[in-house]
Amino acid sequence: MGSAKNTSTAARKARIEEMRKAERARDRRGRVITITLSAVVVAALAVGGVVLFQKADDSDTAASDGKSAPTFKTTADGEKVWDAKKLGRTHVTKDVSYAMTPPVGGDHDQVWMNCNGDVYKDELPERNAVHSLEHGAVWVTYNDKAKAADLKKLEQKVKQTPYSLMSPVKDQKDPVMLSAWGHQRTVTGAADPKVGSFFSTYVQGKQTPEPGAACTGGKAK
């Protein structure tokens, strides 16, 4: 009788131990599944974040007419560069929804803005100014946050430089910006050394789609 009892007790203990092992195994599987699912969720969120970031970045360069617009790359020193081959060059007679402000290229009016060191006090028709960039001009633009002293010095530089023009652009992001065909940068003011390097590089520079084309005889506002 004692032997049978001992055998029964041993069997229960063995059964309990088996149940405990099974429970521990389930717990381990549950932890593995939880960790795996968490990793999947984190990865999905990371990918989703990248996609959203890319979409947000693309939205900065997307044309409002729904057409695909060229994206830009930013150099180490802050200059934005667009693929010139993807900037339209068709002459149009209607408004163009440019992907950047001020525009650095794209379809434009058949008449260029005079850019023989011309300084304009009012905002320019973008389509005409873009045509000037196609001819190799550098366009200096500013908003109402620009300092008067800087504007005076920049006016002097423009007036002394053929293939350049200057005008206000109220809605631009920064106080003073420089644009050429496919290139754009913000400068801190007239004394910024990047002003001189931008002019020397892009006035009739290698980026010019129509080098030697006139900067006179166009639209004079």
Side-chain angles (χ1 to χ4, degrees):
M1 185 74 175
S3 177
K5 184 176 181 181
N6 289 339
T7 298
S8 177
T9 300
R12 284 199 302 273
K13 288 182 178 181
R15 177 60 178 162
I16 290 171
E17 184 60 28
E18 288 178 2
M19 293 174 65
R20 287 175 177 172
K21 287 181 179 180
E23 185 175 356
R24 287 195 293 270
R26 284 195 299 271
D27 289 342
R28 284 195 298 272
R29 287 196 299 272
R31 285 195 295 273
V32 170
I33 292 172
T34 299
I35 292 171
T36 301
L37 288 175
S38 297
V40 170
V41 170
V42 170
L45 288 174
V47 172
V50 170
V51 171
L52 287 174
F53 177 79
Q54 290 176 337
K55 287 184 177 179
D57 186 57
D58 289 345
S59 68
D60 290 337
T61 57
S64 62
D65 58 6
K67 294 181 180 179
S68 176
T71 56
F72 63 83
K73 294 181 180 180
T74 304
T75 64
D77 66 347
E79 182 176 313
K80 293 180 179 179
V81 181
W82 284 260
D83 185 348
K85 294 180 181 178
K86 296 182 179 179
L87 295 173
R89 293 179 55 199
T90 302
H91 288 174
V92 295
T93 58
K94 61 181 180 180
D95 289 340
V96 179
S97 296
Y98 291 106
M100 68 296 288
T101 301
V104 299
D107 295 344
H108 50 267
D109 197 276
Q110 64 178 352
V111 180
W112 56 91
M113 289 302 304
N114 284 340
C115 46
N116 192 35
D118 292 88
V119 175
Y120 300 92
K121 297 301 183 181
D122 298 318
E123 292 201 39
L124 302 179
E126 291 182 326
R127 289 187 290 125
N128 302 97
V130 169
H131 197 157
S132 300
L133 302 185
E134 187 183 39
H135 287 191
V138 163
W139 185 15
V140 179
T141 58
Y142 59 93
N143 62 22
D144 57 6
K145 294 181 181 179
K147 297 178 181 178
D150 284 324
L151 297 182
K152 185 176 181 180
K153 291 179 180 179
L154 289 168
E155 283 184 12
Q156 293 174 350
K157 184 170 184 62
V158 169
K159 288 178 179 179
Q160 296 169 1
T161 308
Y163 287 94
S164 72
L165 69 164
M166 179 174 176
S167 71
V169 175
K170 181 180 179 181
D171 294 331
Q172 71 178 33
K173 179 182 177 182
D174 298 302
V176 180
M177 298 175 70
L178 309 178
S179 301
W181 187 271
H183 297 264
Q184 189 171 81
R185 73 156 55 255
T186 294
V187 292
T188 57
D192 191 326
K194 293 184 176 64
V195 173
S197 61
F198 197 92
F199 269 70
S200 62
T201 301
Y202 299 121
V203 169
Q204 283 284 285
K206 294 180 180 179
Q207 86 292 342
T208 305
E210 296 181 0
C215 248
T216 58
K219 187 176 177 65
K221 189 59 177 171

